[in-house]
């Protein structure tokens, strides 16, 4: 096994017994939610995975080690490190080589999960094609990683701040299936329905597991997006969503934000413009995704 990869005893034991494991990312903990909210939510996500009968493997980089299965103390250290970097596939090796610490995006989490032998991960929303991509060229490394690693990612769609039609087009181009869980429409993160249609729909966990198994058995080699809409009771009201989103995008344009800073900046502006309403929806959808991912992993392991 990769000597730079450190798999916790609990995760290693579960994997050796072919038991269900769900990978969880840490950028949402350090950059996606305000401190200490992120830390609390990270613990809740692990609980949701366990409630579904699977073992959580929270992934991040600590002191130059790519860790699969961080303890609460490790996570607290990561969350409390000021200016902790957000690591994707393009800056992961540099920080590991320097003995640094950082949180992993969906892309870097997919890499570590696959290297450890984990087939399911949960997150809030994947990265994708940014609006104004013609000017900035900004396409999240999450899409390239989804094309590379055969891991099913349970999410509430792509982040709301993105160009959702282009993101879906790009996923199709890359050969990454997008399956709606009990929906025919691509969710819009804080909202249940972006009005964009999906090709695939599964109405229960066993049907979802069958789709994942078929995708793997065909040897397609790509990942898979499982789109799970935010629970109805936690959906953001439409007027609040529309106003906050356009306001946040204007803020980013005015401040000239670029690159890796774009996503955290926009999420921060959304939080302010919705008086915390975005965090309410974000936490609920993260929990729902962790729970569904746990159930999917359990079904795949034949234990559901
Ligand atoms: N979704 C959220 N909050 C986040 C992210 C996603 O609700 O913080 C993070 C994820 O880790 C995702 C990353 O992989 O943002 C994508 O960043 P970028 O667009 O820079 O690739
Ligand atoms: Mn980007």
């Amino acid at each position: 096994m990769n000597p730079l990869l450190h798999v916790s005893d609990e995760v290693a034991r579960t994997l050796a017994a072919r038991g269900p494991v769900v990978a969880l990312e840490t950028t949402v903990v350090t950059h996606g939610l305000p401190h200490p909210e992120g830390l609390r939510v990270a613990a809740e996500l692990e609980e949701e995975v366990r409630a579904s009968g699977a073992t959580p493997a929270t992934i991040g980089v600590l002191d130059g080690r790519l860790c699969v299965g961080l303890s609460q103390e490790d996570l607290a250290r990561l969350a409390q490190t000021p200016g902790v970097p957000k690591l994707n596939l393009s800056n992961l090796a540099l920080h590991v080589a320097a003995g640094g610490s950082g949180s992993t995006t969906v892309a870097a989490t997919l890499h570590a999960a696959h290297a450890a032998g984990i087939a399911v991960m949960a997150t809030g929303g994947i990265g994708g094609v940014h609006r104004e991509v013609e000017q900035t060229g900004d396409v999240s490394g999450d899409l390239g990683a989804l094309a590379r690693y055969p891991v099913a990612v349970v999410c509430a769609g792509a982040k709301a701040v993105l160009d959702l039609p282009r993101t879906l087009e790009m996923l199709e181009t890359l050969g990454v299936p997008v399956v709606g869980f009990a929906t025919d429409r691509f969710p819009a993160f804080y909202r249940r329905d972006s009005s964009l249609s999906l090709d695939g729909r599964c109405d229960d966990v066993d049907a979802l597991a069958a789709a994942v198994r078929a995708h793997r058995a065909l040897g397609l080699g790509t990942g898979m997006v499982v789109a799970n809409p935010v629970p109805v009771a936690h959906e953001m009201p439409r007027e609040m969503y529309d106003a906050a989103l356009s306001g946040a995008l204007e803020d980013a344009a005015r401040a000239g934000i670029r690159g890796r800073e774009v996503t955290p900046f926009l999420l921060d502006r959304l939080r302010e413009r919705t008086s915390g309403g975005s965090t309410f929806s974000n936490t609920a959808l993260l929990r729902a995704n962790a729970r569904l991912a746990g159930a999917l992993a359990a079904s795949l392991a034949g234990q559901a």
Side-chain angles (χ1 to χ4, degrees):
M1 165 116 37
N2 182 338
L4 295 176
L5 195 70
H6 290 263
V7 182
S8 74
D9 289 344
E10 188 196 11
V11 172
R13 250 183 286 118
T14 311
L15 288 170
R18 299 193 165 277
V21 178
V22 173
L24 298 166
E25 57 138 323
T26 37
T27 296
V28 64
V29 178
T30 56
H31 293 70
L33 292 164
H35 186 65
E37 183 92 8
L39 206 48
R40 189 173 58 72
V41 172
E44 288 173 4
L45 298 186
E46 294 206 351
E47 282 314 307
E48 294 285 359
V49 169
R50 288 187 199 283
S52 293
T55 299
T58 301
I59 293 175
V61 174
L62 262 191
D63 305 326
R65 303 178 354 149
L66 179 52
C67 300
V68 178
L70 289 170
S71 66
Q72 274 305 302
E73 296 76 58
D74 294 338
L75 262 173
R77 258 190 62 203
L78 204 58
Q80 284 154 13
T81 307
V84 65
K86 167 182 161 187
L87 305 178
N88 57 26
L89 298 184
S90 74
N91 61 352
L92 180 63
L94 286 170
H95 285 272
V96 165
S101 300
S103 55
T104 49
T105 63
V106 169
T109 305
L110 282 172
H111 167 78
H114 181 58
I118 300 170
V120 179
M121 85 162 273
T123 184
I126 56 169
V129 181
H130 282 258
R131 294 166 198 241
E132 298 177 350
V133 64
E134 299 93 338
Q135 283 95 58
T136 62
D138 193 352
V139 176
S140 173
D142 290 357
L143 297 184
L146 275 160
R148 256 177 90 178
Y149 303 112
V151 174
V153 180
V154 181
C155 59
K159 275 163 303 177
V161 297
L162 299 170
D163 184 326
L164 299 183
R166 279 195 172 119
T167 299
L168 272 184
E169 286 294 344
M170 184 67 87
L171 285 165
E172 184 179 25
T173 301
L174 295 170
V176 177
V178 183
V179 180
F181 188 69
T183 181
D184 298 309
R185 306 293 197 97
F186 195 48
F189 200 74
Y190 303 114
R191 303 272 314 159
R192 290 176 58 81
D193 185 353
S194 67
S195 80
L196 296 164
S197 298
L198 296 177
D199 308 326
R201 169 185 179 134
C202 290
D203 283 292
D204 58 55
V205 171
D206 289 335
L208 198 55
V212 172
R213 275 200 203 94
H215 183 73
R216 294 176 73 98
L218 287 165
L220 290 163
T222 55
M224 207 161 152
V225 173
V226 177
N228 185 32
V230 59
V232 176
H234 295 85
E235 196 175 20
M236 195 185 280
R238 175 170 294 284
E239 314 72 53
M240 182 193 269
Y241 173 80
D242 290 342
L245 192 56
S246 51
L249 290 165
E250 278 164 27
D251 294 342
R254 206 171 309 119
I257 306 295
R258 287 275 182 275
R260 271 182 209 112
E261 306 309 318
V262 171
T263 297
F265 180 89
L266 287 172
L267 294 176
D268 206 55
R269 296 305 302 153
L270 276 176
R271 192 153 45 235
E272 212 155 287
R273 286 179 169 277
T274 59
S275 320
S278 64
T279 305
F280 174 77
S281 298
N282 205 344
T283 304
L285 65 84
L286 278 162
R287 291 182 69 141
N289 294 343
R291 187 169 279 253
L292 177 57
L296 173 60
S299 180
L300 285 167
Q303 295 181 4

